[in-house]
Structure formats: C-alpha cells, structure tokens
Amino acid sequence: MSILYRSEAERGRIWAGIFAAEAPDLPFHIWPDTGNPEAIEYLIAWQPPADLLRSLTNLKVLFSIGAGVDQIGLDQVPETVSVVRMVEPGIASGMVEFATMAVLALHRNVLDYQRAQRSAEWRQLEVVPAAQRRVGIMGLGVLGQAVLQALAPFGFALRGWSRTPKQLPGIACYSGSDGLEAFLGGSDILVCLLPLTDATRHILDQRLFTRLPKGAALVNLGRGGHLDQAALLEVLDSGRLSAAVLDVCEPEPLPSGHPFWQHPSILLTPHIAAVTRPETSARIVLENIRRYRRGEPLRNVVDRAAGY
Ligand code: NAP
Ligand code: GLV
C-alpha cells in the first residue's frame, strides 16, 4: 500500500518529509516516481491525467490538493474511488487575507485613486461608512463563512447566498434561485466563492450584473469559469459596475493582449488568493488516511452528483 503525490515537486518534498516522520509505514512517492502503480491506494493531485488514473488499478482515495475539484474531471475518476477535497487552515487563512484586502480596496476606492494618481489628480471621494456598504458572498461554505467572520468586525452589512438554506448569526442568508434576486439587489460588493459546477458555470453574467445595485463591484475568487468575460467588460465600460478584482481567469494564465490586463477598473492577480500549505495540509490528509484505514468515514468527501 502506498501514496502517490502528483503536483508541484518542491512542495511534494515537504509532504514527503512529514509522511516519512509521522507515517514511516506508508511509502510516499512523488510523481513521476510511482513505484509499483498497483500498490498505490492514495493519490494526492491537482489535475490527475486520465491515463494515470487508469494505471492505478487499486486506487481507493483521490485527495484534491485544492479546495475546488472542478479541475479533476470527476467523470474520469472510477466510481469506486472516493474523491476528497482540501479543507485546511492554510487555504482558509490565505482566502481570508485576500478577500478582506479586496473588499477593503473596493470599499475605499483604491482603483479610483490609482487611476487619479496616474493622471496626477488630487480628488477626494466620499468616504462611505462600512455599515452603509453591503457585502454579499456567493457560497457559504468553508471559505465563504471564514471570510464573513473576518469582515464582520469592520461593521459591513453582510449577506450570503448558498444552494441550501442556512442560518448564520449576523448574516442575511439567501438560498437557491428563489433567493438570488433579493440577495443580489443588496450586494454593493459581490464576492464569488462558489465551486465551479454545471449549475454555477458563467453564473456571473449580464443578467446577474443587471440585478446588482448600480455601481456595484465584483470580486471573483472562485474559478474563471464562473465569469462571462464579455459581459463583465460591457458592464464595466458602461459604468453599470464600478470595478472588479479577479484572482481567477479562464484560461490560466490569461493570454497576452487580453483586455483584462490593461483595464483600468480591473485588479488582476494570478490565482494566488489562497494556496494549499504543505505543512498543514499533509497532516490533514494523513489524519484522513488514518480514519479510512480504521474503517471510519472520510472527511470532506465530494458529492459527485452536486459536483463539489
Ligand atoms: P465549500 O465548502 O464546498 O462551499 C461551497 C459553497 O457554495 C456552499 O455554501 C454551497 O452551498 C455553495 N454552492 C454550491 N453550488 C451552489 C449553487 N448552485 N447555488 C448556490 N450556492 C451554491 O467550498 P469552499 O471550500 O468554501 O471553496 C469554494 C471555492 O473556492 C472552491 O470550490 C474553489 O473554486 C474556490 N477557491 C479558490 C481559491 C483561489 O485561490 N482563488 C482557493 C481555494 C478555493 P451549500 O452550503 O448549500 O452546499
Ligand atoms: C485553489 O484554487 C483551490 O481550489 O484550492
């Protein structure tokens, strides 16, 4: 029985060190060294190729190295293999930092001041109190809830939207397609922290943008596939939306010459909002493997029908 890690090799060496120290009975291979492929029961990967999955005939659990699993292509993973997504404190704290930075930057007009600076213009904009700024988070999962908790002390008026109904203290909660319009109508800053599924692909489209208050701003921290890029350009250029912070794009990297690179109302970052930390995630995967070997249910198993 052994483990195969197929992602960035440098981080893999940190994982290997932790497994060697804490689970010396579990051989740990870093791809392309697979050892005997038939001995591999656990695969840790971001995007495992189909031929690799086919060659691991005794695979039991596929651990996504990320919180999202859309990049895996769930339909190519045999039904006998459990897919587990990454829930670990490193991702949550990175996302909290980045989302807070993005919301505060939009709240305090950082993109407007950057444009003004470039044209040497000294112009003070009205300071809107946080209590009068409504921040809406799409996705009330591990990351959406962590971000809401971090934003609460600033005094923003917070709301969230999820697939199934939720009750969260201090948060106006909406759910499902019935709740979407009311949720959007009170979101001055909209943050997308949804998983990418058949139900959420291109959810950030023209129709959604026109339901936001005029001058609203967007933060996309989910996946590039959530966004209809042409629709965003149109609403930014017409002034319907004031600004966007985009950490994810489709494709990644964004091709040179793409209009997002130079757009004055877009702050673009290269999918770095939250990065899985080997030191914390390796121990969480190891604990889950131990649960599995004891016959206990795995934590954070993906619901294949829902796609997340
Ligand atoms: P999670 O715990 O699975 O939460 C997902 C949330 O989205 C849940 O609240 C779920 O609703 C909601 N949702 C799913 N489908 C929906 C739909 N059709 N309509 C309305 N709500 C829906 O996931 P997470 O750990 O918070 O991660 C969220 C996503 O963040 C990941 O999938 C990934 O794409 C992205 N991410 C990005 C980065 C980055 O660096 N940019 C890093 C990590 C993760 P229910 O609560 O009702 O199930
Ligand atoms: C990163 O995007 C992740 O899904 O963890």
Side-chain angles (χ1 to χ4, degrees):
M1 173 210 331
S2 57
I3 302 176
L4 176 62
Y5 171 98
R6 190 192 187 277
S7 193
E8 201 192 294
E10 199 176 316
R11 288 195 227 167
R13 283 189 277 281
I14 304 175
W15 281 72
I18 292 169
F19 272 77
E22 299 186 16
D25 57 318
L26 269 174
F28 190 99
H29 300 277
I30 299 178
W31 193 87
D33 161 35
T34 60
N36 172 11
E38 287 175 12
I40 298 208
E41 294 190 357
Y42 308 104
L43 173 63
I44 301 158
W46 169 253
Q47 204 167 34
D51 58 347
L52 175 67
L53 285 170
R54 276 194 297 275
S55 72
L56 306 180
T57 49
N58 286 310
L59 188 64
K60 292 189 165 50
V61 188
L62 165 55
F63 291 96
S64 167
I65 204 128
V69 293
D70 54 287
Q71 69 282 352
I72 286 177
L74 291 175
D75 48 1
Q76 67 176 2
V77 182
E79 286 294 336
T80 51
V81 175
S82 301
V83 181
V84 170
R85 61 188 212 90
M86 190 61 77
V87 176
E88 66 99 13
I91 295 182
S93 61
M95 189 55 84
V96 160
E97 283 177 12
F98 192 95
T100 305
M101 177 279 293
V103 167
L104 289 176
L106 293 167
H107 171 57
R108 297 306 306 265
N109 307 96
V110 165
L111 286 171
D112 300 295
Y113 287 122
Q114 195 175 46
R115 278 194 300 268
Q117 181 185 343
R118 286 192 184 128
S119 51
E121 195 186 344
W122 188 271
R123 187 164 57 90
Q124 296 173 337
L125 299 171
E126 182 200 352
V127 175
V128 176
Q132 286 169 30
R133 190 78 78 183
R134 298 163 299 175
V135 180
I137 311 277
M138 300 178 86
L140 292 176
V142 173
L143 300 179
Q145 290 195 35
V147 168
L148 282 164
Q149 222 173 13
L151 291 176
F154 292 99
F156 291 114
L158 297 173
R159 51 179 53 210
W161 181 71
S162 55
R163 189 169 61 92
T164 56
K166 300 250 178 305
Q167 283 191 329
L168 300 172
I171 313 295
C173 292
Y174 302 81
S175 62
S177 43
D178 291 350
L180 184 57
E181 190 157 350
F183 164 76
L184 293 171
S187 295
D188 300 315
I189 298 176
L190 180 73
V191 179
C192 176
L193 266 171
L194 290 168
L196 183 61
T197 66
D198 291 345
T200 64
R201 179 166 289 281
H202 287 171
I203 191 169
L204 304 173
D205 64 0
Q206 185 79 34
R207 197 172 138 79
L208 178 142
F209 294 141
T210 53
R211 290 173 174 181
L212 292 168
K214 188 168 182 331
L218 171 72
V219 182
N220 189 15
L221 305 175
R223 289 286 186 260
H226 286 127
L227 177 67
D228 176 339
Q229 300 188 355
L232 178 66
L233 287 169
E234 213 175 298
V235 289
L236 285 175
D237 293 343
S238 70
R240 184 81 188 66
L241 252 62
S242 57
V245 176
L246 306 176
D247 180 56
V248 284
C249 303
E250 198 173 73
E252 291 180 359
L254 195 66
S256 64
H258 191 286
F260 284 179
W261 284 114
Q262 301 298 337
H263 201 289
S265 302
I266 293 178
L267 173 62
L268 187 67
T269 51
H271 200 150
I272 44 68
V275 178
T276 303
R277 272 193 214 138
E279 294 80 359
T280 37
S281 54
R283 290 188 173 91
I284 278 170
V285 167
L286 179 55
E287 172 52 21
N288 226 353
I289 291 175
R290 285 188 173 133
R291 288 175 65 84
Y292 184 81
R293 290 172 86 189
R294 289 195 297 261
E296 294 168 21
L298 285 162
R299 292 203 167 109
N300 305 312
V301 174
V302 170
D303 172 347
R304 287 183 184 233
Y308 69 100

